[in-house]
Amino acid sequence: MKTTRKLKLTIIGDEETRKEQYKIIREEQYQQYKALNLCMTLLNTHNILNSYNTGAENKLNAQIDSIDKKIEKAKKELEKKGLKESKVSKLKETIEFLENDREKLKDEYLNSSKFRSDIDEKMKEMYIKDMYTVVQNQVNFRARDMMSLVTQRARKDFKNSLKNGMAKGERSLTNYKRDFPLMTRGERWLKFEYDKDSDDILINWIHGIKFKVLLGYKKNENSIELRHTLHKVINKEYKICDSSMQFDRNNNLILNLTLDIPDKQNNNYIEKRTLGVDLGIKYPAYVCLNDDTYIGESLELLKQREQFKDRRKRLQQQLKNVKGGKGRNKKLSALNKLSDNERNFARTYNHMISKRIVEFAKKNRCEFINLEKLTKDGFDNNILSNWSYYELQNMIEYKAKREGIKVRYIDPAYTSQKCSRCGYIDKENRQTQEKFKCLKCEFEINADHNAAINIARALD
Ligand SMILES: [Zn+2]
């Protein structure tokens, strides 16, 4: 499980050394900014040339196809009985003429594709295989490893921007800003240790630079928790991954430390105890246990409730307009249609709900969390339709995994129509959005609570 912590750092040393070393970091950051944008340009140029040639071939291919169809039609005509002599010779002539044309186009096609593969090889050599060399000649990194960090990063970002629709001209190329965080290797470059004379935590970086971690004067909860985390880093319980550093608005040096934290073993669960989660319209989520259905509650986000109400409505509208499909790409493009602002809101919202759900499961010592499987059409009436629900599933899954709780998906059919007491299924059981009353046994309960019970028990 990967997680990132922000650490405020200061360089240790006399004034002159510190000044010199801060300058090294800023200069390296500047070189990285140049290199990243250069890589992006190279990757894009190659891509454009490549798709231009493919386009020409596609056109030829389409022409050949249409001639093939004409030939087939003429041949069928020829098979008909009782044709006049003059008609037969006319048809034969046409076929010959078409086949001639076809040969010419076929030649053109082969030439073009050979030309493309030749050019492609050269391009690959220039822009892909030798991207490393091309870029290295234009920038001046102090640390040799920076080049591979940069090319890796640019390739990854380029691939993502293609996936997200740049190919269709919908998204622009990644443009790295001047203050893009300086990438740093993990374990090899960031060596944590305790100061011998105090309880300060120090980091030995490359270029002989030594940092002190500023944990704050106040021993508040956050700094205690952070110290605890760093203790595990020093003890090698947590693995340090590739990370980055940057200067914040106040010119403080911040390390974005990425750690790989082993998943917790959940030994504390009650066997087969399951939390059912019903994601609702009125409340974000209703949760309930399978073996004690009285323990359940609607998870509300109290503080933000007013603010959320409004934006949920708007988001709901927007999500309605983007019909979600099965494919991941479709979902992604649906997400792209939301404004950045709304997307951030949806993400924050999902973070909060998923956190509450997993906390509830942990508090009640659950072995499993049951969620409704996202159907092909999504949940039309739900604020969390389509992409957003998909994102929420992912969040619940990884947060649960961190606590050693397993997530299972259940078939959502009838969860809201089935009576959780006698099992009778009827659309009319759900009388209003909020009220459930069984037509058979007259059991009455909050409709979301009823659904949550069914979801919790679905695999019992
Ligand atoms: Zn009933």
Side-chain angles (χ1 to χ4, degrees):
M1 165 76 223
K2 285 200 177 166
T3 174
T4 300
R5 294 305 173 88
K6 284 192 184 299
L7 304 180
K8 204 163 153 188
L9 305 181
T10 183
I11 292 178
I12 304 174
D14 58 60
E15 182 136 10
E16 198 158 320
T17 314
R18 297 180 65 215
K19 217 170 138 192
E20 182 62 33
Q21 293 183 336
Y22 275 119
K23 218 171 118 193
I24 290 175
I25 294 173
R26 284 187 188 280
E27 180 57 26
E28 202 77 339
Q29 193 179 10
Y30 176 64
Q31 295 298 325
Q32 178 191 261
Y33 147 79
K34 281 204 308 190
L36 280 169
N37 283 315
L38 194 52
C39 283
M40 210 28 105
T41 309
L42 291 173
L43 288 165
N44 194 37
T45 308
H46 172 259
N47 189 272
I48 287 170
L49 287 168
N50 199 25
S51 60
Y52 173 77
N53 283 293
T54 325
E57 280 160 48
N58 287 343
K59 248 186 210 160
L60 285 167
N61 238 341
Q63 279 173 299
I64 292 169
D65 273 357
S66 106
I67 288 181
D68 277 345
K69 271 181 201 144
K70 281 181 194 156
I71 293 174
E72 207 180 313
K73 204 178 157 196
K75 279 184 175 169
K76 259 190 189 156
E77 193 84 0
L78 203 55
E79 279 167 15
K80 278 183 189 162
K81 278 171 193 163
L83 287 177
K84 277 184 198 161
E85 194 72 15
S86 61
K87 178 82 177 166
V88 170
S89 66
K90 182 93 205 267
L91 278 168
K92 279 184 177 164
E93 204 178 295
T94 308
I95 291 169
E96 199 181 327
F97 187 72
L98 285 168
E99 277 175 343
N100 226 339
D101 262 4
R102 193 185 182 284
E103 279 315 297
K104 271 188 224 156
L105 286 169
K106 193 84 196 169
D107 274 355
E108 216 175 305
Y109 175 83
L110 289 174
N111 276 338
S112 166
S113 84
K114 167 136 184 16
F115 176 72
R116 181 170 65 86
S117 74
D118 285 353
I119 218 175
D120 200 33
E121 271 315 301
K122 268 183 207 141
M123 285 293 167
K124 270 190 186 136
E125 218 163 277
M126 279 170 71
Y127 291 129
I128 305 292
K129 280 189 208 142
D130 286 351
M131 186 166 86
Y132 191 99
T133 326
V134 172
V135 176
Q136 199 176 33
N137 289 335
Q138 310 269 336
V139 293
N140 191 15
F141 281 124
R142 189 176 269 260
R144 183 178 273 267
D145 248 24
M146 283 308 300
M147 272 309 300
S148 56
L149 282 171
V150 160
T151 46
Q152 267 168 32
R153 173 71 194 221
R155 281 197 181 125
K156 199 177 120 203
D157 290 346
F158 184 73
K159 235 172 143 183
N160 282 337
S161 64
L162 279 186
K163 240 195 252 164
N164 292 344
M166 192 200 74
K168 292 176 226 149
E170 286 165 2
R171 283 230 134 182
S172 56
L173 214 54
T174 310
N175 183 20
Y176 299 96
K177 299 258 163 60
R178 177 76 178 75
D179 58 358
F180 189 83
L182 178 64
M183 295 180 278
T184 165
R185 289 262 181 242
E187 218 109 272
R188 268 192 287 147
W189 286 14
L190 295 163
K191 298 206 162 81
F192 281 77
E193 64 177 17
Y194 282 117
D195 185 17
K196 286 177 189 74
D197 308 316
S198 66
D199 61 352
D200 284 340
I201 293 172
L202 310 176
I203 306 170
N204 291 296
W205 199 52
I206 47 171
H207 313 308
I209 299 178
K210 199 165 189 157
F211 302 110
K212 184 172 103 179
V213 182
L214 297 172
L215 285 162
Y217 320 99
K218 284 184 206 153
K219 291 261 184 282
N220 60 23
E221 220 175 291
N222 266 345
S223 82
I224 291 169
E225 205 264 337
L226 195 54
R227 185 174 280 279
H228 185 69
T229 303
L230 294 179
H231 179 74
K232 295 200 167 178
V233 171
I234 294 172
N235 278 350
K236 312 253 182 239
E237 279 176 68
Y238 294 167
K239 191 174 169 276
I240 307 170
C241 307
D242 284 355
S243 301
S244 69
M245 52 177 84
Q246 68 198 109
F247 292 93
D248 71 6
R249 237 176 282 153
N250 302 317
N251 242 343
N252 296 306
L253 182 59
I254 306 293
L255 172 66
N256 307 305
L257 177 67
T258 304
L259 298 171
D260 193 356
I261 295 177
D263 293 330
K264 270 186 214 155
Q265 280 293 329
N266 179 9
N267 298 320
N268 196 26
Y269 63 78
I270 295 166
E271 211 173 316
K272 291 197 175 150
R273 175 169 271 196
T274 304
L275 185 75
V277 180
D278 178 53
L279 297 159
I281 301 165
K282 184 145 189 235
Y283 303 109
Y286 206 107
V287 292
C288 190
L289 302 174
N290 63 331
D291 52 358
D292 187 348
T293 55
Y294 293 106
I295 299 184
E297 67 179 59
S298 72
L299 299 180
E300 274 191 79
L301 308 163
L302 287 172
K303 268 188 214 157
Q304 292 80 7
R305 193 163 64 181
E306 284 313 305
Q307 182 204 351
F308 271 17
K309 244 192 201 161
D310 234 34
R311 308 196 59 181
R312 271 177 66 170
K313 243 186 215 157
R314 244 185 301 155
L315 189 63
Q316 217 161 354
Q317 269 311 317
Q318 280 171 300
L319 283 169
K320 250 183 205 161
N321 296 336
V322 285
K323 263 274 177 224
K326 321 157 210 177
R328 186 180 147 76
N329 282 342
K330 256 192 182 165
K331 281 174 200 132
L332 280 173
S333 84
L335 184 75
N336 287 338
K337 281 182 190 141
L338 298 177
S339 69
D340 280 350
N341 209 2
E342 297 298 338
R343 205 180 321 167
N344 280 338
F345 164 72
R347 187 171 300 134
T348 309
Y349 183 90
N350 280 344
H351 264 305
M352 294 171 95
I353 302 174
S354 56
K355 187 172 170 231
R356 293 283 304 275
I357 290 170
V358 173
E359 271 172 4
F360 191 92
K362 192 186 163 194
K363 195 178 85 194
N364 287 288
R365 300 170 62 197
C366 292
E367 184 180 4
F368 302 107
I369 291 175
N370 280 4
L371 294 175
E372 288 182 296
K373 199 185 289 160
L374 181 61
T375 59
K376 209 171 81 185
D377 308 316
F379 295 87
D380 275 348
N381 293 322
N382 204 310
I383 182 215
L384 295 165
S385 57
N386 312 325
W387 199 90
S388 196
Y389 184 78
Y390 177 79
E391 184 186 60
L392 179 61
Q393 279 184 350
N394 279 344
M395 285 185 183
I396 296 172
E397 243 188 82
Y398 81 70
K399 285 175 192 177
K401 195 178 164 211
R402 230 165 27 186
E403 300 296 339
I405 301 166
K406 287 161 240 145
V407 170
R408 301 186 296 192
Y409 293 98
I410 65 126
D411 182 356
Y414 309 121
T415 47
S416 62
Q417 298 170 21
K418 187 175 162 186
C419 170
S420 61
R421 189 162 86 180
C422 74
Y424 177 66
I425 296 171
D426 198 314
K427 233 182 187 168
E428 303 300 314
N429 280 347
R430 186 167 196 161
Q431 301 192 330
T432 61
Q433 190 54 50
E434 276 179 86
K435 193 177 161 199
F436 183 96
K437 188 178 179 189
C438 179
L439 294 180
K440 203 172 167 195
C441 75
E442 300 200 318
F443 177 55
E444 263 191 76
I445 186 174
N446 168 290
D448 293 331
H449 192 170
N450 182 67
I453 297 171
N454 286 331
I455 293 166
R457 290 177 177 169
L459 298 169
D460 281 0

